[in-house]
Amino acid sequence: MRVEEEKSSRLEVNLDWSEFLSRHDMTWKTRPMSWNEGAFIGNGLMGAMMFGEEHRDKRNVLRFVLGRTDVTAARTSGYSPRIPIGEIDLECVGWVYQPTEIKVDLWNAEIKARVVTTVGEIGLRAFVHSEKMVMVIELETSEGERGAKLQWYAEPEVSHVLKNADGPNLNQYIPEIKVSRYTEQEVNVGVQQYPLGDGCTTAWQEQDAAEGHRVCYLTIQNGVSEEVRADAIALVRETAQADLEQEVLAHRSWWHAYYPQSFISIPDTLLEGFYWIQMYKLASATRKEHWIIDNQGPWMTPTPWPGVWFNMNVQMSYSPVYTSNRLDIGESLIRALDANFDNLIANVPEAYRHDSAGLGRSCSYDLKSKVVDETGNLLWICHNYWRQYRHSMDKSMLINGLLPLLKRGVQYFIHILEQGEDGKLHLPPTVSPEYGSFKKMTVPDCHYDLSLIRWGCETLLGINDRLELHDPTAERWTYVLDNLTPYPVDENGFMLGRNAPIEFGHRHFSHLLAVFPLHQMTGEQEEERELIHKSLRYWTGMEGDMRGFTFTGAASIAAAIGEGDEALQYIHSFMHLIKPNTMYREAGPVMESPLACAESIQDLLLQSWGDKIRVFPALPSTWEDVSFHNLRAEGAFLISAQRKAGKTAFIRVKSLAGEPCRLQTDWSDTANVRVSGERTVPMKRLGSGLIELELKQDEEVVLYEGEDSPSFTVAPVEAVRSLCNYFGAHKPWRRYGVPFQN
């Protein structure tokens, strides 16, 4: 697919999306053997993970472990956790053998496979429909595999061998499940009811399209009522009676519109592939009309964390949507915050509910989570809300959604601030997330909370000025900023809090939140930069409790101060921790770290915090050729740029809201930078590569260096062939460990 921009900018995107993404399809030459290696599909609410099993009694099985994000079980106490809902298994006649070939086709969001068994072959295609809650599995069987069958198992019916393939599930609440089955209108129905009346309904129908050619249509619905069952049956029948190829086209059309919202191509082919799989994962995990991204997405597997976590997980999971220009994905979070506003108020002590709100660590999708001693989570999630606003400049979102929530989040902190003998405002002991969790450690003047209250007050004052609200509460926010105690610092850099140095490994960057993602400490002054770098090196040099998100946070912090080579080292370290299919797990699966690493990659190419749009702010020295198109910056700007042979060739800027535009470039102040557009756009050179443009709404220009106007073409960087289609079957320890050749 070749796209041409308006002639005013003469920018052309020379890109065949199908061909480009095909170099990053996940591939397997043997069947994947666990959730860590499985082929996954999803439509933002419903999903499946396909993998096999080595046990001698199950070597003929390819499992489609099913998931639907909103299926939870009510309890008499505690939040309603996610519940596994079973699977549909392809039970072959023979053992699944080599060379079985499996591929996740990213462009079309489908699993395609040639399953080789000891008695024949099965051709397979599977997808979860983009527009319907229907999964389609299509089979083409050879003579020896005519007897292969698709068999649905409710959660209690799943074989003990399969259910415990990754170890027994000792931490997760599983209710007593009552299973009933029946057939109606030639549709099979399985109902799983939980003790307090909730549960889920699965309906499926298999059709013979021709000899050896079968298609199965399956839906999972949340609920067990007669109405839910009737809707499930009707949906399966409607889809089964439609033309299959038309359904395939409808499914694909959503994805074909989704991917081109932005484009990046980098000379590290492995990371480029990883990045695009995260874009696929994002849209498979949620959509604007669906639920918050929790720790699993629609790929449920045994976990001690069957809910939504807010001391990092949700915030980091959404972090790549803003720069990638995929704000529709971010709307699922905004909808949840708006819809549960009253519950956020109820999370704080009753005495504060008249003007405050808060959010504890973990909960279900209703966001009911009492605030105890981890106090900053709501303000951090408000920062995501702020990023959604700043990248869209949607004024109604700001006024009706973010502003009232942020005011309440800040006010809760004002209630608990205490004036010390030094005249400064101090915080009582609170939790610095993930440090000494098992000891339940708290520290006074916790950096995590100090940075968030400071950011909250500064942001409220900025909104007050922008909207000319003349809010009388502004005096209180100003007072807090003027009197808030400084961030505790020692000889090693930022501390957890007052009199609280880092004494053992700390996996979270909670003590560096002022640097990233809040960007209050920018490093633009040399003394501050040295403090940030010292803090980063000391933190990452600590032996102990390091996790995937440790390295993604470190990468973004390094990128924020322009240390591209160091940031890339952290990203490469993270690559050794993810699973072959780019999933990530600790004691259980967690979504946030791979998605956050996608933001770390973005931070090498474009940053837009503060009042500047930074183009190529932290490129590794080895990345000489880079292209990106329509990455989104704060102020609602679409930015495209290309770097060739280590030099910035051009930068295209399109303003969607007419906001002030300041570009930080790597062009020298003596470079002959020219502007091409429909009109002569005023440009000011502010020194040190900083350029100011006066762009109207919907106006775009291209900046380039030199006398002659070159052709402005965005195209993929040449790939390293041996690193194409890397994810799927390859093991982490092979990455960067062997020589690769074109």
Side-chain angles (χ1 to χ4, degrees), residues 591-632:
M591 289 278 292
E592 84 292 317
S593 292
L595 295 175
C597 191
E599 182 187 33
S600 299
I601 294 170
Q602 293 167 357
D603 285 343
L604 305 177
L605 310 181
L606 184 74
Q607 299 174 31
S608 61
W609 41 271
D611 63 350
K612 300 175 188 174
I613 300 169
R614 300 158 179 84
V615 183
F616 299 133
L619 279 189
S621 57
T622 55
W623 288 15
E624 294 200 336
D625 296 335
V626 178
S627 288
F628 68 79
H629 178 55
N630 278 353
L631 293 185
R632 189 178 276 248

Side-chain angles (χ1 to χ4, degrees), residues 502-554:
I502 298 177
E503 296 178 328
F504 49 85
H506 182 25
R507 58 196 182 198
H508 202 311
F509 49 92
S510 54
H511 68 298
L512 291 166
L513 219 68
V515 182
F516 173 81
L518 302 181
H519 296 294
Q520 295 173 310
M521 308 288 285
T522 66
E524 293 182 340
Q525 303 300 319
E526 185 58 31
E527 183 178 352
E528 187 175 273
R529 187 184 186 282
E530 290 177 1
L531 172 62
I532 293 170
H533 208 188
K534 177 171 63 175
S535 303
L536 174 63
R537 290 287 183 86
Y538 178 75
W539 169 52
T540 57
M542 269 288 205
E543 293 294 330
D545 196 15
M546 310 290 269
R547 294 291 187 267
F549 51 82
T550 311
F551 293 103
T552 66

Side-chain angles (χ1 to χ4, degrees), residues 170-239:
L170 301 177
N171 296 306
Q172 186 174 355
Y173 169 75
I174 305 293
E176 182 179 346
I177 302 174
K178 179 183 176 182
V179 180
S180 58
R181 294 169 175 259
Y182 62 92
T183 301
E184 183 177 323
Q185 301 180 62
E186 300 181 331
V187 175
N188 302 299
V189 180
V191 179
Q192 300 182 71
Q193 185 163 339
Y194 309 148
L196 297 183
D198 44 9
C200 63
T201 299
T202 305
W204 70 99
Q205 184 180 56
E206 229 181 299
Q207 289 189 340
D208 291 325
E211 185 177 5
H213 182 193
R214 288 177 282 151
V215 185
C216 177
Y217 302 88
L218 179 145
T219 188
I220 306 159
Q221 299 293 317
N222 185 11
V224 295
S225 68
E226 289 295 337
E227 182 180 1
V228 167
R229 299 179 200 184
D231 288 346
I233 292 168
L235 180 57
V236 168
R237 284 176 54 80
E238 168 201 314
T239 311

Side-chain angles (χ1 to χ4, degrees), residues 242-264:
D243 180 84
L244 175 59
E245 289 312 308
Q246 289 300 312
E247 293 297 313
V248 170
L249 289 174
H251 159 71
R252 291 176 175 178
S253 66
W254 189 94
W255 287 94
H256 294 176
Y258 166 76
Y259 283 116
Q261 290 172 330
S262 65
F263 166 76
I264 77 163

Side-chain angles (χ1 to χ4, degrees), residues 368-409:
K368 293 181 179 180
S369 183
K370 299 295 184 184
V371 178
V372 184
D373 52 11
E374 192 172 272
T375 51
N377 298 337
L378 178 59
L379 287 187
W380 191 0
I381 208 69
C382 281
H383 184 257
N384 285 73
Y385 208 143
W386 171 251
R387 295 185 71 186
Q388 183 87 12
Y389 159 68
R390 283 290 295 154
H391 284 76
S392 66
M393 299 308 298
D394 182 340
K395 187 177 179 180
S396 64
M397 176 191 300
L398 177 63
I399 295 173
N400 300 320
L402 175 59
L403 181 58
L405 187 62
L406 183 57
K407 287 177 71 172
R408 283 182 167 271

